[in-house]
Amino acid sequence: MQYSKISLKFKSQDKAPFFIGSQIRGALGTALKRVVCINHKYKCAECFANNSCIYYEFYELKNIYHKYRLDYRLGEKDYDFSVFLFENSCLQVPYLVSALYFMLNECGLGREKIKYRNFSMFVNDENCLKDNKISLPKKITRSIEIKSFCPDIKLSFKTPLRIKKNNIFLRNEDLELKDLILSIYSRQMGILHKNNREFPYEIKGEITSKNLKYLELTRHSNRQKTTMNLGGIMGDMIIKNLNKQSYEVLKLGEILGAGKQCVFGLGKIEVEDINAI
């Protein structure tokens, strides 16, 4: 799989929200629409260009696996986040970089619409701002390559994990290794437009300990005029005796994310070799 990573860092004029995902996604949507829209008098659903519009794909299409996600940690004092793009969405890097630049310089963040002039921006960890002007690197995509294999790992959930099983969101002790593997694999297949394919390997691994909690998290949707529940599982677990295929899916999840609402930055996971901790 191909991916691109756009990262931003800057100091908050006030303390950044504990959960920046809602704020960033909303502000980015406003900026992206202003950057790419060629028919402001049309509603998106009625626009003749919506089939080729990155804003329409990222913000208006429902019930699909979106080919992007936010990435950050909860409760940071300042802003430090990334936007991951996947597969053909990587071609949209110039538009996303322009929108993020416009978001901070012109649109602003938060209720006060605070604007930022002093910030760092990177594409795949390479600086893309020179003299406060955008200068993209020649290579804007990377291939996901998993060369390592560790059968015994510590798996950490850095932002709430929301996984449904039997139409119910899982909580703490109900979470099984199979649930994680299938969630990440389904997300991969959805992004690749290969839905409804079963995981082709045996899932091997034993959860030997769990240190999990359910974090309640909400956001207010201005568009829907309602409060959305974005709570999920956080913490870590120890998994031993993984087979290579199961390990590789978990490592893939570090980039793709896991579970639902990854576009808000949920489902951020990290995999560590417990023998190296």
Side-chain angles (χ1 to χ4, degrees), residues 43-277:
K43 294 181 179 180
C44 286
E46 302 168 355
C47 179
F48 67 85
N50 61 24
N51 285 336
S52 59
C53 176
I54 188 63
Y55 171 81
Y56 184 79
E57 179 183 347
F58 279 14
Y59 284 85
E60 298 295 332
L61 287 182
K62 309 299 181 185
N63 301 317
I64 65 168
Y65 286 95
H66 289 95
K67 297 180 182 179
Y68 79 102
R69 76 173 183 92
L70 294 183
D71 183 87
Y72 54 85
R73 292 176 181 271
L74 296 174
E76 296 292 299
K77 178 181 178 182
D78 296 314
Y79 287 91
D80 184 351
F81 65 93
S82 299
V83 181
F84 280 91
L85 305 176
F86 307 113
E87 291 299 297
N88 61 343
S89 289
C90 296
L91 300 175
Q92 310 294 343
V93 164
Y95 290 114
L96 267 294
V97 169
S98 297
L100 289 164
Y101 186 90
F102 187 75
M103 176 184 80
L104 296 182
N105 273 278
E106 302 297 334
C107 296
L109 294 177
R111 293 182 179 178
E112 304 300 322
K113 304 299 181 185
I114 299 174
K115 298 177 177 62
Y116 295 87
R117 309 295 182 190
N118 186 20
F119 56 90
S120 300
M121 187 185 299
F122 308 86
V123 173
N124 295 332
D125 302 320
E126 185 173 339
N127 181 33
C128 67
L129 287 182
K130 296 181 180 179
D131 299 323
N132 206 32
K133 294 182 179 179
I134 297 173
S135 178
L136 295 177
K138 293 181 179 179
K139 186 175 178 59
I140 60 174
T141 63
R142 288 177 172 176
S143 296
I144 299 178
E145 298 179 354
I146 301 169
K147 299 179 180 180
S148 61
F149 171 51
C150 304
D152 303 329
I153 66 165
K154 177 182 178 182
L155 180 65
S156 301
F157 307 105
K158 298 300 184 181
T159 58
L161 173 75
R162 290 173 62 80
I163 290 181
K164 268 188 174 182
K165 188 174 182 179
N166 299 324
N167 208 34
I168 299 175
F169 282 106
L170 297 178
R171 289 176 174 257
N172 305 2
E173 297 305 318
D174 298 327
L175 181 63
E176 299 178 357
L177 176 61
K178 182 179 180 180
D179 303 321
L180 284 166
I181 298 293
L182 295 183
S183 172
I184 298 168
Y185 182 72
S186 294
R187 181 166 168 76
Q188 179 191 19
M189 292 297 101
I191 290 172
L192 294 173
H193 298 293
K194 297 179 180 179
N195 288 327
N196 301 319
R197 293 199 177 189
E198 294 184 1
F199 188 61
Y201 306 101
E202 183 179 2
I203 297 174
K204 290 185 178 181
E206 178 188 2
I207 298 175
T208 60
S209 68
K210 294 180 180 179
N211 179 26
L212 304 175
K213 63 180 180 180
Y214 192 90
L215 178 69
E216 299 288 354
L217 200 64
T218 60
R219 71 175 290 264
H220 180 75
S221 173
N222 291 323
R223 177 185 294 188
Q224 300 179 26
K225 307 299 181 184
T226 187
T227 298
M228 298 174 59
N229 181 14
L230 296 179
I233 298 169
M234 291 194 65
D236 55 69
M237 57 173 57
I238 300 298
I239 307 174
K240 294 186 176 181
N241 301 316
L242 282 167
N243 60 341
K244 188 172 186 292
Q245 293 84 3
S246 298
Y247 171 83
E248 288 177 345
V249 173
L250 294 175
K251 287 295 290 183
L252 181 65
E254 288 188 305
I255 296 176
L256 292 186
K260 295 181 176 293
Q261 279 90 34
C262 291
V263 294
F264 287 99
L266 304 188
K268 175 181 174 62
I269 67 172
E270 291 182 359
V271 177
E272 298 177 85
D273 178 3
I274 61 174
N275 297 315
I277 298 176

